[in-house]
Amino acid sequence: MDGLEATRRILAEDPGCRVLMLTTFDLDRYVYEALAIGASGFLLKDVTPEHLAAAVRLVDTGDALLAPQITRRLVERYAAEAERTAEAVPAGLAALTPREREVLTLMGRGLSNMELAAELTLSEATVKSHVARIFAKLGLRDRAQVVVLAYETGLVRPGARQRPKERGAVLHMRPRRTGATGHNGAADD
């Protein structure tokens, strides 16, 4: 059994489990498949012990991450493919409101909830509501899957305006916290 199959089985048994892939396979399709099946993070085995320990702690808190070299290649490759495919919006995105598509695009660029709130002039509770609805409507598990989807669908492309602030050695993304929005679901924008 390989790591992908192990991840499938683990997540089938316990969908709330967080899986951090650690592999020697530096192949884009392997990374993509791992994220598509629900892995919360992906690192190469040449990661330093310090980064590995930090990654385990990060994923344990519910965050998601990708090694920077993987993120860069993944984004470039899938964005290029998105440009070559039809420009039609996938049916799943049609279910989103214009505001939700805007939030999805900014999430795909890596903005945190606080950065989204500032960018869109919304309360953080409203942003959390939008994020929760996007996850529910599109069946997404975490922000790693949002980034992949945003690039696959062409919502985000290389060279587009980057996130306001870089966060160090790994792409650091905050997933939704189920039921933790403290908001009744009604939009206030």
Side-chain angles (χ1 to χ4, degrees):
M1 171 183 346
D2 68 7
L4 294 173
E5 183 59 27
T7 300
R8 277 187 199 90
R9 290 183 185 187
I10 290 167
L11 294 174
E13 182 81 18
D14 182 1
C17 184
R18 298 288 178 179
V19 176
L20 174 62
M21 302 288 292
L22 184 63
T23 184
T24 57
F25 296 112
D26 190 8
L27 303 172
D28 293 343
R29 102 182 127 68
Y30 193 80
V31 174
Y32 175 74
E33 189 172 351
L35 295 174
I37 63 176
S40 296
F42 197 96
L43 294 174
L44 299 175
K45 285 188 179 175
D46 65 355
V47 67
T48 65
E50 296 80 19
H51 278 122
L52 179 58
V56 169
R57 285 191 297 274
L58 194 66
V59 169
D60 184 52
T61 66
D63 289 347
L65 66 94
L66 298 172
Q69 68 270 33
I70 292 171
T71 303
R72 185 173 33 260
R73 277 196 340 270
L74 187 70
V75 164
E76 289 170 0
R77 178 175 178 206
Y78 286 97
E81 284 182 22
E83 288 178 13
R84 289 190 301 268
T85 61
E87 294 295 322
V89 175
L93 294 186
L96 299 178
T97 66
R99 176 63 95 183
E100 289 166 347
R101 278 193 300 277
E102 183 178 21
V103 170
L104 176 68
T105 301
L106 294 173
M107 286 172 45
R109 291 181 182 147
L111 272 66
S112 68
N113 286 348
M114 186 181 308
E115 293 165 338
L116 286 165
E119 178 80 18
L120 300 172
T121 318
L122 299 172
S123 71
E124 201 165 343
T126 298
V127 167
K128 288 178 181 180
S129 251
H130 287 307
V131 170
R133 286 194 302 269
I134 290 166
F135 276 94
K137 286 180 179 181
L138 300 179
L140 300 173
R141 175 182 155 101
D142 57 34
R143 289 189 183 224
Q145 290 183 332
V146 168
V147 171
V148 171
L149 177 70
Y151 278 92
E152 280 185 332
T153 59
L155 289 176
V156 177
R157 293 196 170 118
R161 188 177 58 92
Q162 297 301 308
R163 60 199 261 180
K165 174 175 96 171
E166 291 300 320
R167 295 183 192 244
V170 295
L171 175 63
H172 180 232
M173 301 173 279
R174 302 287 303 173
R176 71 183 169 115
R177 303 280 186 216
T178 305
T181 64
H183 196 267
N184 67 8
D188 62 9
D189 63 321

